C-alpha cells in the first residue's frame, strides 16, 4: 500500500456515500471498525449490519447538507509496521465549489484484509462524528452540537 493506493481507497468511501452504494463503501473497511472521536467516546462497528446503519446516518447527513464532494488532502502517510499503516488527511466537504464545513483532520489506520488494505480505525473530530450520527448540525461552517450543554465540537 502506498499513498496513491490510499487515495483510491478513500475515493471508494466518497463514491459509496455520494452515490448511495453501500457495497462500494463497505469494501473500504475491515470489520470490526473502531471509530474514535477526539475528546469523545469511541465505539465499534462489529458487523456489516452496524456498518450499514452507520453509513445510512452519514449518508442522510451529507444529503441534507447537499454535499457534492469530499476531498481528503494527504498530510502524512506512515508505515508503522508491516501490517499497520497510519494516514492523516485534511477533510474538505464541498457543495459545488463552496465548503459545507471548515476543513478538519481525519486519521485512518489501515491493515491488510486478504490481498487488500482496508481501514480498521477512523479518528476524527467529535463534531464530525456527532454530525454523521445525527447529533450535531453545521452552523456557520462549523459543527455545532444539538445539545447546548456540549462543548465546541470542532476540535
Amino acid at each position: 500500500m502506498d499513498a496513491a493506493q490510499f487515495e483510491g481507497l478513500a475515493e471508494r468511501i466518497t463514491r459509496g456515500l455520494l452515490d448511495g452504494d453501500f457495497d462500494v463503501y463497505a469494501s473500504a473497511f475491515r470489520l470490526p471498525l473502531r471509530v474514535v472521536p477526539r475528546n469523545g467516546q469511541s465505539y465499534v462497528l462489529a458487523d456489516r449490519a452496524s456498518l450499514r446503519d452507520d453509513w445510512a446516518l452519514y449518508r442522510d447527513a451529507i444529503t441534507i447538507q447537499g454535499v457534492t464532494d469530499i476531498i481528503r488532502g494527504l498530510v502524512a502517510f506512515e508505515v508503522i509496521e508491516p501490517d499497520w499503516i497510519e494516514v492523516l488527511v485534511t477533510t474538505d466537504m464541498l457543495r459545488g465549489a463552496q465548503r459545507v464545513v471548515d476543513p478538519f483532520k481525519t486519521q485512518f489506520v489501515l491493515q491488510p484484509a486478504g490481498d487488500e488494505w482496508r481501514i480498521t480505525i477512523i479518528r476524527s473530530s467529535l463534531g464530525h462524528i456527532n454530525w454523521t450520527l445525527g447529533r450535531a448540525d453545521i452552523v456557520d461552517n462549523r459543527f455545532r452540537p444539538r445539545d447546548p450543554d456540549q462543548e465546541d465540537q470542532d476540535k
Side-chain angles (χ1 to χ4, degrees):
M1 166 68 74
D2 60 24
Q5 290 170 311
F6 170 76
E7 289 176 14
L9 184 69
E11 184 60 20
R12 289 193 338 229
I13 297 169
T14 299
R15 295 281 41 99
L17 286 168
L18 297 179
D19 297 344
D21 190 330
F22 174 71
D23 290 330
V24 168
Y25 180 82
S27 74
F29 300 100
R30 184 180 115 183
L31 299 173
L33 172 67
R34 194 166 129 221
V35 180
V36 183
R38 284 188 289 283
N39 301 318
Q41 183 66 40
S42 67
Y43 59 96
V44 173
L45 302 173
D47 54 32
R48 195 167 166 87
S50 61
L51 181 65
R52 181 182 286 278
D53 291 345
D54 191 75
W55 167 83
L57 289 170
Y58 199 169
R59 178 134 169 81
D60 287 348
I62 64 170
T63 300
I64 288 167
Q65 288 296 323
V67 173
T68 58
D69 204 359
I70 302 169
I71 310 264
R72 294 173 189 86
L74 187 64
V75 175
F77 182 96
E78 187 172 1
V79 177
I80 304 298
E81 296 179 21
D83 65 345
W84 188 279
I85 296 174
E86 293 184 9
V87 181
L88 179 65
V89 299
T90 299
T91 304
D92 227 336
M93 300 180 115
L94 304 174
R95 180 185 317 111
Q98 300 294 318
R99 281 190 172 133
V100 172
V101 66
D102 291 339
F104 55 93
K105 297 279 195 269
T106 308
Q107 179 185 20
F108 299 99
V109 171
L110 290 77
Q111 292 186 295
D115 293 339
E116 293 187 313
W117 285 81
R118 295 195 180 164
I119 297 165
T120 190
I121 299 172
I122 297 174
R123 187 168 190 241
S124 194
S125 74
L126 178 60
H128 173 243
I129 299 298
N130 279 340
W131 175 71
T132 67
L133 295 173
R135 299 179 192 152
D137 295 308
I138 296 175
V139 178
D140 297 326
N141 285 56
R142 297 181 63 116
F143 296 115
R144 293 290 178 230
R146 290 191 177 154
D147 178 354
D149 292 331
Q150 288 183 325
E151 64 183 61
D152 181 11
Q153 297 193 338
D154 286 331
K155 298 175 182 168

